[in-house]
Each structure stands twice: as C-alpha cells, then as structure tokens.
Amino acid sequence: MPHVHEPLSQGTGIEPETLLEIKQELTGNLRQIQKMETLGALVGGIAHDFNNILGILQGQLSVLQEEGDNPAVRAESLDQAQKALCRATGVVRQLLTFARKAEVKFATLDIDQVVAELLQMVREAFPKNLDISFSSDRTDHFIAGDDNLLDQALLNLCINARDAMPAGGALRFDTGTFGHEIHERFPEAPELEYVWVRVKDTGIGMDDATRGRIFEPYFTTKDPQVSSGLGLAMVYGIVKLHKGFICVDSELGKGTTFSLYFPKQREAVRPSASGKFEEEAGIVGGNESVLFAEDEGLLLRVIKRALEKRGYHVLEARDGLQAIATYREHKDEIALVVLDMGLPKMSGWEVFQRLKEINPDLKAIATSGYIDPDLKERMLQDGVKAVVSKPFPPVEMLKVIRSVIDRPPL
C-alpha cells in the first residue's frame, strides 16, 4: 500500500492556518535576505567602478597641479578627466536602465559608426597585447537605437573579452546583414532583415554550465569585489529593448563569440553621439537675470561663473523656500528660473507650481540626476520649458537657457 503523507500540522499541535502564516513569514525573511545579498553585490560593483573613476580624476588633477603649465600635458589630462566623467555618467545610466528607469532616446544609427567610435576609445584604454580589429561587409547597417545604451552594451562585451585574455589575444568586431536566415535561428523574429554585430575573442572560453547562466543578473565568475554581475544582464536587456536578439557560442580554451541582431532600418540619419563636451565658441550670452536654485554649492558656483562670464545676472537660491522668496522679491526682473528637482525644504516641482501661481507666464528649466519619464512628460505639459539631466556641461546649460529665454510666449 502506498505511503500517504500526513498533514504537516498533524501531531504538532499547530493549526494549519498557523503553519501557513509561519511559512509565509519564513519565505518573506528569505526573500529579504536574498534582496540584501543582491544589494550588497550591486553596491560593491558600483563602488568599484566609481572608485576607479575617482582614481583617474584624482590622478589627472595631480598632473594638472604639477605640470599644468605644459599645454600638451594639460590638454591630455583634461581629455582623460573628461572621459572619466563620461564613464561615471554611463555607470549611473547603466544602473537606471537596469532598473528600467532610464529614458531611452531612439534615433536611426549607423552601427558601423557606433562600433568604430567605440573601438577608437577601446584601443587607447585596453592593454597593447590585445589585437583589436573591425571588419564590415560595407552594406548599409542602419538600426533604430539609443547610441549611449549601445555603447554600454558593446563596451561591456569588450571588457568581458579583455578579462578573458589576461595574457593577450585577439578581439574582433564584425558587422553584416542577415536576411531570411534570421528566422531559422529565431523563428519569432518579426522583421525580414537584421543587422548583426559579432564580438569574438580568443580567450579562455566558457563551459556549458557557465554559458547557460551568463545573462542572469548578479551571476559572475569574477571576484565579487571586482564585478557586480550586471554586465551581461545589461547587454541582454539593452538588446531586448532594441527588439533584437543575442546568442553566444563558446568553448573552453577556444574563445567566445557574442552575436547581436537588430532590426534593419532604411534611413541614414545619425545625430551627434559624441560624449565630448562641446566647444564654447559660438555660445550666445545675454544680459537677463536668471534665478538658479541649486543646493549643491560647487555646482552652483560653476554655473554662476559660466553665466556671469557671458553677461547674465545670477540670483542664487539654496533651497525651495529661498527660491520662492527670491522670486517674489525680484519677479519683475527675472527672465528665467532654473530649478533643481531635489531642493531641500521644498522640492523643485513644488516650487515650480508655487511660482506659476505668482506668474502664469513663468519660464522655467528643471534639472535633476533622475526624473521619471512620466513625471517629465507631466512637467513639460504643465509648463516647464526644458528638462536637463545631470551631470551637464555648462555649455549645454548655456544653450538651453538662451533657447528658453528667446522662446516666444504661447
């Protein structure tokens, strides 16, 4: 006769409802523990990235202090510091994208140009014992994408390849067009043509067990102090966000090949994707008064200096209440208000609404390290003239300020 399992509560003196509550509580505790472990891994990886960036900035500042009189050295140090800042921006954007909180901006891109620009930077930064090459079938390779996200995805693949070749090796990029064959590999692919990007290395490769887990968030074969395990999960998420497909071929001792497939576009329009700060030449100034509400003193000082250098009169506010008081006192002379959304005492969004009550024709710019896309849309509908994401170079803010001031009222 088959064995029949007795109810768990039988013989324990505990009611089934109570056991269910205990089980739910234990499950909740386990999830909390897993969440904290995940958070710890994430914080460790992000801290590592930022510490590297801070180390670069600190080193370049030291160079400028010691050899800043040498024009060539000064130019090189400033360029390296600028690249480090762009990397820091990328780390934050990567984190927000993984959390699905980054605003994605699609445009028609030439994937060959994206790869070429990335490899120019990679060749400068990676060890010289790596042979880095790029080949294309020379056909049109236009896709709809966010160039910043694609840069992050491809750079993550480059970093993985570099780490898989500690003694040197070859890193090869190839691009081409995939026709009806795409449906043999991916039957669910809705488009007729796809542009593919292959990233191939001659590194240590992976076994089947590792290859089956590489796209899992927080899975890593590296030291947890060095890697958060988000890199390939990010790559997977970015490819899917672009309605694409990704696959990996790898064998121990024989290297790894990542193949990315993106729906092909017909247009040939590519916006400027340079991460470099724009030149200040040609920036138009003015003589208007601008109220700049920002609680970060060093940032306020930099922007105030840039504005005053070009003729503007700058009024400062370090918190929301001070912004309202200053505006009330000088509203007849203030042409524009720039509001940080994270002001103390009263948020920038609340300040904007109060200022709109004082002056329905208010011209205002919002700034923030992160604004939810839905909130951003609501702000623009309610009268905010522009939203500028931090960090921003002063040149960008100067352009937006001039554009908003010159914009005729509705």
Side-chain angles (χ1 to χ4, degrees):
M1 190 170 114
H3 178 72
V4 178
H5 290 280
E6 297 178 346
L8 185 61
S9 59
Q10 189 167 339
T12 65
I14 303 176
E15 295 296 327
E17 294 81 1
T18 304
L19 278 176
L20 180 60
E21 291 176 2
I22 293 173
K23 180 181 177 181
Q24 290 174 338
E25 183 177 353
L26 290 174
T27 301
N29 289 340
L30 178 60
R31 287 175 179 168
Q32 185 65 21
I33 291 171
Q34 292 172 334
K35 182 178 179 180
M36 295 305 294
E37 289 177 348
T38 297
L39 182 60
L42 176 61
V43 170
I46 297 299
H48 172 80
D49 288 344
F50 266 107
N51 281 334
N52 283 343
I53 293 167
L54 291 174
I56 294 171
L57 291 172
Q58 190 174 46
Q60 296 304 331
L61 286 173
S62 296
V63 171
L64 287 171
Q65 288 176 332
E66 295 173 3
E67 304 180 59
D69 293 337
N70 184 321
V73 171
R74 183 172 64 249
E76 181 180 359
S77 292
L78 289 173
D79 182 61
Q80 293 300 317
Q82 178 180 292
K83 289 178 179 177
L85 288 173
C86 289
R87 279 181 57 190
T89 303
V91 170
V92 174
R93 185 174 175 82
Q94 180 178 352
L95 188 59
L96 289 173
T97 302
F98 188 80
R100 299 183 181 275
K101 291 187 175 181
E103 184 179 13
V104 181
K105 299 179 180 179
F106 282 97
T108 301
L109 309 176
D110 179 355
I111 197 67
D112 285 2
Q113 187 173 349
V114 173
V115 172
E117 290 176 357
L118 175 72
L119 291 187
Q120 183 178 2
M121 179 190 71
V122 167
R123 287 190 179 99
E124 295 176 1
F126 277 22
K128 302 308 177 186
N129 61 356
L130 294 180
D131 178 20
I132 301 172
S133 61
F134 171 40
S135 67
S136 168
D137 66 4
R138 304 302 177 189
T139 59
D140 289 341
H141 294 151
F142 297 107
I143 69 170
D146 182 307
D147 49 5
N148 287 322
L149 293 183
L150 290 171
D151 280 344
Q152 290 175 32
L154 296 175
L155 181 58
N156 269 316
L157 294 179
C158 288
I159 292 172
N160 265 29
R162 178 202 65 189
D163 294 345
M165 300 183 288
L171 172 59
R172 179 181 178 86
F173 272 74
D174 296 282
T175 59
T177 302
F178 215 39
H180 62 85
E181 308 99 313
I182 186 75
H183 300 96
E184 298 174 6
R185 193 160 200 178
F186 303 103
E188 69 275 27
E191 305 298 332
L192 295 178
E193 282 191 301
Y194 283 75
V195 172
W196 52 259
V197 182
R198 292 198 183 109
V199 185
K200 183 177 182 178
D201 67 64
T202 58
I204 57 178
M206 294 177 280
D207 57 26
D208 291 343
T210 300
R211 190 173 65 249
R213 298 190 61 192
I214 57 173
F215 296 123
E216 294 179 14
Y218 310 110
F219 173 75
T220 180
T221 59
K222 303 175 186 178
D223 184 343
Q225 300 298 319
V226 175
S227 172
S228 66
L230 282 176
L232 290 177
M234 256 317 270
V235 174
Y236 182 86
I238 289 172
V239 171
K240 289 300 180 182
L241 192 63
H242 286 75
K243 303 185 187 309
F245 301 89
I246 183 171
C247 60
V248 57
D249 299 295
S250 186
E251 189 176 342
L252 281 175
K254 295 186 178 181
T256 300
T257 300
F258 284 90
S259 300
L260 286 61
Y261 303 88
F262 302 99
K264 186 172 183 177
Q265 300 291 302
R266 299 298 177 187
E267 300 177 16
V269 180
R270 176 173 170 82
S272 174
S274 173
K276 295 183 178 181
F277 298 160
E278 300 176 62
E279 297 294 333
E280 295 191 10
I283 298 297
V284 178
N287 57 7
E288 293 88 353
S289 292
V290 176
L291 171 58
F292 210 100
E294 169 64 57
D295 63 313
E296 178 53 63
L298 293 178
L299 176 58
L300 181 58
R301 181 178 177 183
V302 169
I303 296 299
K304 181 178 180 180
R305 180 180 178 184
L307 286 169
E308 291 181 340
K309 180 180 177 182
R310 288 161 181 82
Y312 294 102
H313 174 57
V314 180
L315 299 169
E316 301 178 21
R318 298 296 184 94
D319 61 58
L321 296 180
Q322 186 182 6
I324 293 173
T326 303
Y327 189 80
R328 285 186 185 277
E329 184 178 353
H330 300 278
K331 63 183 179 66
D332 293 334
E333 60 189 89
I334 293 175
L336 175 73
V337 179
V338 182
L339 292 167
D340 174 38
M341 291 296 98
L343 290 173
K345 297 186 180 179
M346 182 180 289
S347 72
W349 179 230
E350 292 176 293
V351 172
F352 170 75
Q353 293 171 320
R354 294 281 293 275
L355 297 187
K356 281 282 288 185
E357 294 174 1
I358 299 171
N359 177 13
D361 297 324
L362 173 74
K363 289 185 176 181
I365 297 171
T367 70
S368 177
Y370 168 69
I371 297 180
D372 182 272
D374 292 336
L375 176 59
K376 177 181 176 180
E377 184 64 28
R378 180 185 168 193
M379 291 167 62
L380 293 172
Q381 289 176 353
D382 285 0
V384 172
K385 304 304 181 185
V387 178
V388 180
S389 297
K390 294 180 177 180
F392 51 78
V395 169
E396 179 184 349
M397 179 56 72
L398 285 164
K399 284 187 173 183
V400 176
I401 285 174
R402 190 67 258 164
S403 172
V404 172
I405 290 177
D406 292 341
R407 193 178 305 170
L410 297 177

